[in-house]
Structures are given as C-alpha cells and as structure tokens.
Amino acid sequence: GEDVEQSLFLSVREGDSSVINCTYTDSSSTYLYWYKQEPGAGLQLLTYIFSNMDMKQDQRLTVLLNKKDKHLSLRIADTQTGDSAIYFCAESIRTAGNKLTFGGGTRVLVKP
Amino acid sequence: DGGITQSPKYLFRKEGQNVTLSCEQNLNHDAMYWYRQDPGQGLRLIYYSQIVNDFQKGDIAEGYSVSREKKESFPLTVTSAQKNPTAFYLCASSQALDQPQHFGDGTRLSIL
C-alpha cells in the first residue's frame, strides 16, 4: 500500500541542526524526495535519494535512508531563519508508474 | 530562465462555471502533472501526461479535465462538476515519469 507519514511540526533554534523524519510503506519505491514549500509558493526540490542508497549529502543537507525500517530523514545543519517552511517527503513507486506519493508535510519553525 | 509558469496566481469561480488554469514550461520536459493541495495537507495527483496528446487520470480526476496539445502546455479545467474546488493547484514537469518533478508557483482557486 501507499502511505507516507511525517510529524506535523518541528521547532529549532537558529544554528542548531534540524532533523525531519518520514516513514513510508511501499517497498517498491524507486526514489525518495524532499521538497520545501514557503508560504504561498510552489514546491522546491531540495534533494532526492535513490532507493538503493543509504545516505546522500549535499552542502547543509544530509538524507539518510533505512530501507529495512522504511524510514527517511532529512538533516539540515546550521539551521537558518530562511529554512522556516513546510517540508514534504515523497516516494516514487515503480509499480504505480513512478507516481509520487506525498506525506502531509512538516512545518519547521526556526527561532532566533 | 527555464521554468514552469502558472497563471493566474489567484482565480475566483462562480457557482456552475468552468475555469481553466494555465501551466507552461520551457524546460523541454516530456511529462507534466497537476496536483491539488488542501490546507495542512500534502499533494494529491489530479492528472498527468507522459507525452503530447496523451494523459492519464490521477487519484482525484473527477470534476477536472486536461489537454496536452503542445509539449510545453498542460492546461487544467475545473468543471462545475467539481463540488469542492477551493484549493491550491500546483503544476509540475519532469524529463520523464521516473525523473524528479519540478513545480510552478501555484494557482489559488476560490469560490465566489
């Protein structure tokens, strides 16, 4: 089945690391994505990881994938006020024509 | 600058009226998508198109129609059959169905 879940809210102090978690249920996923949405805007692709990888690092962003537990996380190092936004994880499912299934989003609030 | 342009940014619909949302991309992408986002929720797929003159229903296609006469354009019509059209509509495109999707800035549709 297809179900992607995220916690609703995360509060973090400026300069600290943020960790946003996501769980998914479909083992035939090909890619897993992280998108950022600022108020009133579209989704910005942050990073993505192929399902046969464990980790991907891109500047301040680190993605960890635990396939056994179907758990995906996004770590943002040195969190800035500009990182305040809603973050969505999504999985692309090969057996469903590579359709994207999105989680409900995690609202991240960065406090100065 | 390459990108995805959605217009208008805000749209109001009267009861019983059809409205069309525009989506244009100059990324030379083959695949295009329409999503609906309701407050506090993730995205749900309305329709997608893998190639010109072809499109497929997504998870919530009832009350919507699309066309794909040109590679760069994928307009969405919200018909009067859609009883709860108030939402934020997002268009996306990708090089192919199994490639990362990039999003426009969205159109917010409201009922008068």
Side-chain angles (χ1 to χ4, degrees), chain A residues 1-108:
Chain A
E2 309 165 6
D3 202 8
V4 179
E5 296 200 355
Q6 302 177 236
S7 52
L8 285 177
F9 184 74
L10 175 68
S11 178
V12 62
R13 291 212 173 272
E14 190 175 14
D16 289 350
S17 292
S18 311
V19 179
I20 308 167
N21 294 302
C22 172
T23 58
Y24 61 98
T25 57
D26 200 301
S27 57
S28 65
S29 57
T30 49
Y31 288 99
L32 294 125
Y33 299 88
W34 283 105
Y35 285 90
K36 176 184 180 183
Q37 185 178 36
E38 298 189 47
L43 271 65
Q44 174 194 351
L45 177 63
L46 287 178
T47 187
Y48 60 97
I49 188 168
F50 192 53
S51 57
N52 68 354
M53 296 172 63
D54 298 323
M55 186 183 91
K56 180 178 180 182
Q57 186 154 4
D58 184 0
Q59 299 182 334
R60 292 191 298 123
L61 305 178
T62 303
V63 179
L64 294 177
L65 177 60
N66 181 328
K67 285 198 74 174
K68 174 175 168 290
D69 295 337
K70 296 190 177 67
H71 182 266
L72 179 75
S73 68
L74 174 69
R75 178 177 179 270
I76 306 173
D78 187 25
T79 310
Q80 304 297 306
T81 54
D83 295 325
S84 291
I86 301 176
Y87 291 79
F88 291 95
C89 68
E91 62 171 340
S92 168
I93 302 167
R94 183 175 49 245
T95 54
N98 291 297
K99 184 188 77 167
L100 281 187
T101 299
F102 285 84
T106 299
R107 183 178 296 274
V108 174

Side-chain angles (χ1 to χ4, degrees), chain B residues 22-97:
Chain B
S22 170
C23 178
E24 304 276 328
Q25 54 98 359
N26 60 3
L27 299 167
N28 201 32
H29 284 172
D30 282 321
M32 296 187 75
Y33 313 79
W34 275 105
Y35 291 90
R36 170 182 172 135
Q37 185 179 27
D38 292 286
Q41 297 187 30
L43 279 66
R44 292 183 290 166
L45 182 65
I46 305 173
Y47 268 98
Y48 66 100
S49 168
Q50 187 174 355
I51 200 166
V52 174
N53 292 322
D54 178 71
F55 49 83
Q56 306 293 331
K57 291 182 180 180
D59 298 320
I60 55 164
E62 187 174 346
Y64 300 97
S65 66
V66 292
S67 62
R68 186 86 187 277
E69 296 174 5
K70 298 186 295 183
K71 186 175 185 177
E72 58 270 22
S73 179
F74 190 40
L76 172 75
T77 297
V78 183
T79 74
S80 56
Q82 173 47 248
K83 297 306 177 190
N84 185 22
T86 298
F88 191 48
Y89 290 87
L90 287 156
C91 177
S93 71
S94 61
Q95 283 188 318
L97 284 185

